[in-house]
Each structure stands twice: as C-alpha cells, then as structure tokens.
Amino acid sequence: MRRAKVVGTGMYVPERVVTNHDLEKLMETTDEWIQKRSGIKERRFAADWETPADMAKVAALRALADAGLAISDIDCIVLATLSPQHEFPGTSFFLHELLDAPEIPCFDLRAQCTGFLYSLATANSFVRSGQFDRVLVMGVEIHSMGIELTTRGRDVAVLFGDGAAGVILEASEGGAEDPGVIEVRLHAEGKHARKLWIEAPGCALKPTRVTAEMIADGRIYPKMDGKFVFKNAVTRMPEVLHETLSAASKKLEDVDLFLFHQANLRINEYVANALGIPAEKCLNNIERYGNCSAASIPLLLAEARESGLAKPGSLVAMAAFGSGFSWGCGLLRL
Ligand code: COA
C-alpha cells in the first residue's frame, strides 16, 4: 500500500524572547495572570527584518537537511498560516522564491490553528494518490505584528507568539503498521467563525475593505470569546481524537506521544485528565513559545524528534482546535 511517511522535520523560532514581565510594561497584565490562565511564561517575537517566509525558509532547510534532501527533490509545498506575508500571493510563494525552488506548485492553506493538520491531510492525499512523491508541509506565523499589545487587546495578545516548523512527507510502500500517516480527521463549524476572528480588512467591508475608523476601533486585531473557545476546544479535541483512533482501530493506550495544539496549557491539561492520558505522554512547549497557531504542532513534532522523545516507530497523535471553528486529529507512525 502506498503511504506518506515523515522523513524530515525542522523548526525555527526567532531569537527575541518576550517574557510576561516584558508584556507588563506594555499593558495592564501580570506574569501571574498569564501563567495561571494559560501556562505561558514567554514567547518569541520576530525581528524587524524577519518575514514569515524568512522564518519558514530556515525551518524548511532544517527539515530538508534532516531528510537528507534538497529542494529539487520536493514536488509541492503546502503552507499553513493565518498571518500572511502580504494579501496575495500566499506566503508559500515567497518561501518558494527564498528556497530557489524549481517550478513546483505551492499554495497557502487557511485553517488557522488547525492549519497544519489540514495541510498534513492534503499532503497525505497528494502522496497516497500518486500525484506527488514528496511534499513539504509548513506552518508559520508572525503573530507579534497582528496583535494589539495594549490593555484593550490583552486577553488575546498575551497568548500568541511567532514560529515556523514543517515536515517532509515522502511516498513509501508498507502496511498499516509501517511508518506513515495513518489517519487524519478534520471538522469545521463555520457558524462560530466570529467567535475568534480578525474582521478587517476584508471584502465584506464595502466599499473600502478597511477604514481609519475600523483601525482606530481595533477591528484589525483578533477578537475572541475566550470562554466559548475554551469550552468548545475541550469538547472537540477528545471527540476527534476518539474518532481518529477508532477509524485506525487503535486505543488511547497505543499512542506513544500526544501533540496537542498549544492554545492554552489549561485546555491540554483538561483534555489529558479527561482522557486519562499520563502527563509524560503529552508534550507541551506553550510555556516557551505561546500559541504559534499553524506552527505549534510541527514545532512540537520537531522538538520531540530532536530530543529523542519521538523515535522511529513511535505512534504520534496530534489534535488541534481553532478559529473557524476548525478542529482535527492526525495519527502517524514515525
Ligand atoms: N491580564 C490581566 N487580566 C486580563 C487579561 C490579561 N492579559 N486578559 C483579560 N483579563 C481580565 C478580563 O478583563 C477579566 O476581567 P473582569 O473580571 O474584571 O472582567 C478577567 O481577566 C477574567 O477574564 P476571563 O475572560 O474570565 O478569563 P478566563 O478565565 O476565561 O481566561 C483565556 C481567558 C483567554 C485565557 C481563556 O478564556 C482561554 O484560554 N480561552 C481559550 C483561548 C484559546 O484557546 N484561543 C486560541 C484558540 S486557537
């Protein structure tokens, strides 16, 4: 059976560390509030010169080096982001330029914090169908430029950070227990799109997409109904995890590592407790990086492989919930 297996992972986070104490200087907040509510201690912010494509390039080159491949070996680039480099074209095209890629297709995928899993599912289908042999799947975010670093925006601003990470999927022949993506289940509920969103600029805002008044009112910054998001996340993540495991005829106990989206440590602790997952099987890096949306899960995966926690043969379950609402779960054997 044709499968898509992970042959390389790579990550990059900017050098600049922004602690909760640094945020205390910009808005009315406290290290204690942030840690208690979210588990976050610090996050990274991109340098002035750094673009999303610059960050994705470093992560992609590391993934290629890890796989022992060159960009000329890649057949397609799928890049998930909610903080694009420009309105259009997608960030993937600027990454394509920086990687000096041959004339392979690339595109951006917009599924917010579930973006990496949507991209993984897409790449998996490309490989399994035989359309491509190797796909580079990236998640990258520069949130620091899109959040309101003032008291008005504090409920959202303290949660997010910048980062980039990705994986390379390669075609292989094997059975159900061999390395490869086993199952990816995806869901959405668009009726809650406005519960976590950035409204402007947008083509729904006629006639000019954005006005000076909208900017002054902060409608260009993310708005979130935090409690509603929390409640949905802790329901949907276990639901989709069960659905995915059951589709793969696996049990929770079979999973070696759980990589949950890094929105809030409390969400992940709640989910792990509810499912009876031992803490050591549940990796988190939110305390160091905050929520890096589409980059969060591949950051975890890259760190887990680098540290040796994820080994060849490990069964890894990844689950995410985010704006859209969107949610999903991916199961893979390394
Ligand atoms: N620092 C200090 N106080 C803050 C604050 C901050 N950064 N942000 C909000 N507050 C205040 C609020 O104004 C509120 O004050 P009030 O009681 O005087 O009105 C108080 O803290 C409590 O706010 P509340 O919204 O009830 O907090 P909460 O316990 O719901 O926690 C979140 C807020 C955002 C941490 C939590 O709702 C959450 O994690 N939601 C999910 C977020 C998420 O997953 N987002 C991304 C999905 S991809």
Coordinates of all heavy atoms in Angstrom, one line a residue, residues 28-29 33 37 113 154-155 158-160 196 224 226-227 229-230 261 263-264 267 291 321-322, ligand 1:
E28 N -1.8 46.5 31.0 CA -2.1 46.1 32.4 C -2.3 44.6 32.4 O -3.4 44.0 32.1 CB -3.4 46.8 32.8 CG -3.2 48.2 33.2 CD -4.5 49.0 33.4 OE1 -5.5 48.3 33.9 OE2 -4.6 50.1 33.0
T29 N -1.3 43.9 32.8 CA -1.4 42.4 33.0 C -0.3 42.0 34.0 O 0.5 42.9 34.4 CB -1.1 41.7 31.6 OG1 -1.5 40.3 31.8 CG2 0.3 41.8 31.1
W33 N -1.1 36.3 36.2 CA -2.4 36.1 35.5 C -2.2 35.3 34.2 O -2.9 34.3 34.0 CB -3.0 37.5 35.0 CG -4.4 37.4 34.5 CD1 -5.6 37.7 35.3 CD2 -4.9 37.0 33.2 NE1 -6.7 37.4 34.5 CE2 -6.3 37.0 33.2 CE3 -4.2 36.6 32.0 CZ2 -7.1 36.7 32.1 CZ3 -5.0 36.3 30.9 CH2 -6.4 36.3 31.0
R37 N -3.7 31.5 33.9 CA -4.7 31.2 32.9 C -4.3 30.4 31.7 O -5.1 29.7 31.1 CB -5.3 32.6 32.3 CG -6.0 33.5 33.3 CD -7.2 32.8 33.9 NE -8.3 33.7 34.2 CZ -8.3 34.5 35.2 NH1 -7.2 34.7 36.0 NH2 -9.4 35.2 35.5
C113 N -5.6 27.6 13.5 CA -4.8 26.7 14.4 C -4.8 25.3 14.0 O -4.0 24.5 14.5 CB -5.2 26.9 15.9 SG -4.8 28.6 16.4
R154 N -5.4 42.9 25.5 CA -4.6 42.0 26.4 C -5.1 40.5 26.4 O -4.3 39.6 26.6 CB -4.4 42.5 27.8 CG -5.8 42.6 28.5 CD -5.6 43.2 29.9 NE -6.9 43.2 30.6 CZ -7.1 43.6 31.8 NH1 -6.1 44.0 32.5 NH2 -8.3 43.6 32.3
D155 N -6.4 40.4 26.3 CA -6.9 39.0 26.5 C -6.4 38.1 25.4 O -6.2 36.9 25.7 CB -8.5 39.0 26.5 CG -9.1 39.5 25.3 OD1 -8.5 40.5 24.7 OD2 -10.2 39.0 24.9
V158 N -1.6 38.4 25.0 CA -0.6 37.6 25.8 C -0.5 36.2 25.4 O 0.4 35.5 25.9 CB -1.0 37.7 27.3 CG1 -1.0 39.2 27.8 CG2 -2.3 37.1 27.6
L159 N -1.4 35.7 24.6 CA -1.4 34.3 24.3 C -0.5 33.8 23.1 O -0.2 32.7 22.9 CB -2.8 33.8 24.0 CG -3.9 34.0 25.1 CD1 -5.3 33.6 24.6 CD2 -3.5 33.3 26.4
F160 N -0.2 34.8 22.2 CA 0.4 34.4 20.9 C 1.9 34.7 20.8 O 2.4 35.6 21.4 CB -0.4 35.1 19.8 CG -1.7 34.5 19.6 CD1 -2.9 35.1 20.2 CD2 -1.9 33.3 18.9 CE1 -4.1 34.5 20.1 CE2 -3.2 32.8 18.7 CZ -4.3 33.4 19.3
L196 N -13.9 33.9 17.1 CA -12.4 34.1 17.1 C -12.0 34.5 15.7 O -11.9 33.6 14.8 CB -11.7 32.8 17.6 CG -10.2 32.7 17.6 CD1 -9.6 33.9 18.3 CD2 -9.7 31.4 18.2
M224 N -11.8 37.5 20.4 CA -12.1 36.2 20.8 C -13.1 36.1 22.0 O -12.9 36.9 23.0 CB -10.8 35.5 21.3 CG -10.9 34.1 21.9 SD -9.3 33.4 22.2 CE -8.8 34.3 23.6
G226 N -13.2 34.1 24.7 CA -12.3 33.1 25.2 C -12.9 31.9 25.9 O -12.5 30.8 25.7
K227 N -14.0 32.2 26.7 CA -14.6 31.1 27.4 C -15.3 30.1 26.5 O -15.3 28.9 26.7 CB -15.6 31.7 28.4 CG -15.0 32.3 29.7 CD -16.0 32.5 30.8 CE -15.3 32.7 32.1 NZ -14.5 33.9 32.2
V229 N -14.5 29.6 23.3 CA -13.5 28.9 22.6 C -13.0 27.7 23.5 O -12.8 26.6 23.1 CB -12.3 29.8 22.2 CG1 -11.2 29.0 21.6 CG2 -12.8 30.8 21.2
F230 N -12.7 28.1 24.8 CA -12.2 27.1 25.7 C -13.2 25.9 25.8 O -12.7 24.7 25.7 CB -12.1 27.8 27.1 CG -11.2 27.0 28.1 CD1 -9.9 27.4 28.4 CD2 -11.8 25.8 28.7 CE1 -9.2 26.6 29.3 CE2 -11.0 25.1 29.6 CZ -9.7 25.5 29.9
H261 N -2.4 21.0 20.0 CA -2.2 22.4 19.7 C -2.0 23.2 21.0 O -2.6 22.9 22.0 CB -3.4 22.9 18.9 CG -3.3 24.4 18.7 ND1 -2.2 24.9 18.1 CD2 -4.1 25.4 19.0 CE1 -2.4 26.2 18.1 NE2 -3.5 26.6 18.6
A263 N -2.7 26.1 22.5 CA -3.5 27.3 22.6 C -3.5 27.8 24.1 O -3.5 29.0 24.4 CB -5.0 27.1 22.2
N264 N -3.5 26.8 24.9 CA -3.6 27.1 26.4 C -3.3 25.8 27.1 O -3.9 24.8 26.9 CB -5.1 27.5 26.7 CG -5.2 28.0 28.1 OD1 -4.6 27.5 29.0 ND2 -6.1 29.0 28.3
I267 N -6.2 24.0 28.6 CA -7.0 23.2 27.7 C -6.4 21.8 27.6 O -7.1 20.8 27.7 CB -7.1 23.8 26.3 CG1 -7.9 25.2 26.3 CG2 -7.7 22.9 25.2 CD1 -8.0 25.9 25.0
N291 N 1.1 30.5 21.8 CA 0.4 29.9 20.7 C 0.9 30.3 19.4 O 0.8 31.5 19.0 CB -1.1 30.3 20.9 CG -2.0 29.7 19.9 OD1 -1.6 29.1 18.9 ND2 -3.3 29.8 20.0
F321 N -7.6 22.5 17.8 CA -8.8 23.2 17.7 C -8.5 24.7 17.5 O -7.6 25.2 18.1 CB -9.6 23.1 19.0 CG -11.0 23.8 19.0 CD1 -12.1 23.1 18.5 CD2 -11.1 25.1 19.3 CE1 -13.3 23.8 18.4 CE2 -12.3 25.8 19.2 CZ -13.4 25.1 18.8
G322 N -9.3 25.4 16.7 CA -9.0 26.8 16.5 C -10.1 27.5 15.8 O -11.2 27.0 15.6
Ligands
COA1 N1 -4.1 40.2 32.0 C1 -4.9 40.5 33.1 N2 -6.2 40.5 33.1 C2 -6.8 40.1 32.0 C3 -6.1 39.8 30.8 C4 -4.7 39.9 30.9 N3 -3.9 39.6 29.8 N4 -7.0 39.4 29.9 C5 -8.2 39.5 30.4 N5 -8.1 39.9 31.7 C6 -9.2 40.1 32.6 C7 -10.5 40.3 32.0 O1 -10.7 41.6 31.6 C8 -11.4 39.9 33.1 O2 -11.6 40.9 34.0 P1 -13.0 41.2 34.7 O3 -13.3 40.0 35.5 O4 -12.7 42.4 35.5 O5 -14.0 41.5 33.6 C9 -10.6 38.8 33.9 O6 -9.3 39.0 33.5 C10 -11.1 37.4 33.6 O7 -11.2 37.2 32.2 P2 -11.8 35.9 31.7 O8 -12.1 36.1 30.2 O9 -13.0 35.5 32.5 O10 -10.6 34.9 31.8 P3 -10.7 33.4 31.5 O11 -10.5 32.6 32.8 O12 -11.8 33.0 30.6 O13 -9.3 33.2 30.7 C11 -8.5 32.9 28.5 C12 -9.1 33.9 29.5 C13 -8.3 33.7 27.2 C14 -7.1 32.6 29.0 C15 -9.3 31.7 28.3 O14 -10.7 32.0 28.1 C16 -8.9 30.8 27.2 O15 -7.8 30.3 27.2 N6 -9.7 30.6 26.2 C17 -9.3 29.8 25.0 C18 -8.3 30.6 24.2 C19 -7.8 29.8 23.0 O16 -7.7 28.7 23.1 N7 -7.6 30.6 22.0 C20 -7.0 30.2 20.8 C21 -7.7 29.1 20.1 S1 -6.7 28.6 18.8

